[in-house]
């Protein structure tokens, strides 16, 4: 009988120490995950932001315009350094692959004070990796060109052109940079003695509008 008060006291002690822990466990607010700045972390928000800030994705498009000096690689001293203007449209199929087309006008003056002009229309495939804000497009183009020299016209002339460049993404809509291009335009007349080709190196400064 003398042990009963001791047992009661032990029981009450266990009750009062256990109950508050259960109450606090049930009522304590959940600790929210914070980011590095101490703000509440929202996984969906950051995933959406990362997707939005990805420079290119399937369906993204851009227009480009560029000016270039053109250095002929053959014809010796018969052709002087010329120039060109190009405008184009491209659409991304994936984050790195884009397809599109370009219209270009180019010219070279000759030692006889005449002018060789070419107007190529091309389609192309671009592979464009990027590092940070820098984009590195590598493009293969093929198309047809209208060629004119004095009273001679040649159409359709084949053009094959390869480009490699570096662009800086200024913001979501604009980038600017430079490209080096090598182009080759063969001319087949049906008379092998008159067949020939034109090849040139171009260095282009360009701007692109992304949308």
């Amino acid at each position: 009988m003398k042990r009963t008060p001791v047992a009661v006291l032990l029981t009450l002690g266990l009750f009062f120490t256990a109950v508050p822990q259960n109450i606090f466990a049930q009522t304590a607010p959940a600790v929210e995950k914070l980011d590095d700045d101490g703000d509440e972390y929202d996984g969906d928000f950051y995933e959406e932001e990362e997707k939005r800030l990805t420079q290119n994705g399937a369906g993204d498009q851009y227009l480009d315009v560029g000016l270039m000096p053109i250095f002929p690689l053959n014809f010796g001293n018969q052709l002087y350094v010329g120039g060109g203007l190009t405008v184009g449209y491209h659409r991304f199929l994936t984050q790195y692959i884009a397809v599109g087309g370009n219209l270009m006008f180019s010219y070279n003056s000759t030692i006889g004070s005449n002018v060789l002009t070419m107007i190529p229309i091309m389609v192309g495939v671009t592979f464009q990796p990027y590092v940070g804000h820098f984009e590195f497009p590598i493009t293969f183009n093929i198309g047809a060109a209208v060629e004119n020299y004095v009273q001679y016209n040649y159409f359709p002339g084949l053009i094959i052109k390869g480009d490699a460049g570096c662009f800086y993404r200024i913001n979501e809509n604009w980038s600017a940079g430079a490209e080096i291009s090598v182009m080759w335009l063969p001319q087949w007349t049906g008379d092998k003695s008159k067949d020939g080709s034109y090849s040139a190196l171009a260095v282009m400064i360009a701007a692109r509008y992304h949308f």
Side-chain angles (χ1 to χ4, degrees):
M1 295 298 292
K2 292 182 180 181
R3 294 180 181 177
T4 301
V6 176
V8 172
L9 290 174
L10 290 174
T11 302
L12 292 174
L14 292 173
F15 175 79
F16 284 111
T17 56
V19 170
Q21 293 177 358
N22 291 334
I23 293 174
F24 286 125
Q26 294 174 7
T27 60
V31 177
E32 296 176 341
K33 187 177 181 181
L34 303 180
D35 62 15
D36 294 337
D37 296 326
D39 299 323
E40 181 180 347
Y41 176 82
D42 186 337
D44 293 337
F45 171 78
Y46 284 104
E47 289 174 5
E48 289 297 322
E49 278 296 285
E50 183 178 358
K51 182 178 179 181
R52 185 182 68 82
L53 293 175
T54 298
Q55 283 161 301
N56 304 299
D60 288 350
Q61 306 165 72
Y62 68 89
L63 301 173
D64 62 77
V65 58
L67 292 171
M68 68 194 83
I70 298 177
F71 305 91
L73 299 178
N74 54 357
F75 289 96
N77 295 322
Q78 299 179 46
L79 290 179
Y80 296 128
V81 175
L85 167 69
T86 180
V87 293
Y89 164 82
H90 301 267
R91 182 185 181 91
F92 281 91
L93 302 180
T94 70
Q95 185 177 355
Y96 300 104
I97 303 295
V99 295
N102 287 82
L103 173 65
M104 185 174 79
F105 171 81
S106 67
Y107 77 92
N108 289 97
S109 57
T110 71
I111 58 174
S113 298
N114 295 310
V115 178
L116 169 66
T117 61
M118 292 172 286
I119 306 176
I121 301 173
M122 297 168 285
V123 294
V125 178
T126 298
F127 170 67
Q128 181 176 272
Y130 59 89
V131 178
H133 288 276
F134 289 94
E135 302 175 326
F136 302 93
I138 301 170
T139 305
F140 173 79
N141 302 280
I142 189 170
V146 179
E147 304 169 30
N148 174 267
Y149 176 70
V150 193
Q151 75 271 26
Y152 301 103
N153 293 295
Y154 183 73
F155 179 81
L158 174 68
I159 179 171
I160 297 175
K161 180 169 167 280
D163 311 316
C166 176
F167 284 78
Y168 180 77
R169 192 66 170 265
I170 300 169
N171 55 41
E172 187 175 352
N173 295 114
W174 290 98
S175 63
E179 278 189 343
I180 296 177
S181 304
V182 176
M183 63 187 80
W184 178 63
L185 293 89
Q187 193 174 88
W188 298 300
T189 63
D191 183 349
K192 291 186 177 181
S193 64
K194 296 181 179 179
D195 290 349
S197 65
Y198 169 90
S199 57
L201 174 72
V203 181
M204 182 177 70
I205 302 298
R208 307 193 296 184
Y209 174 71
H210 303 261
F211 60 100

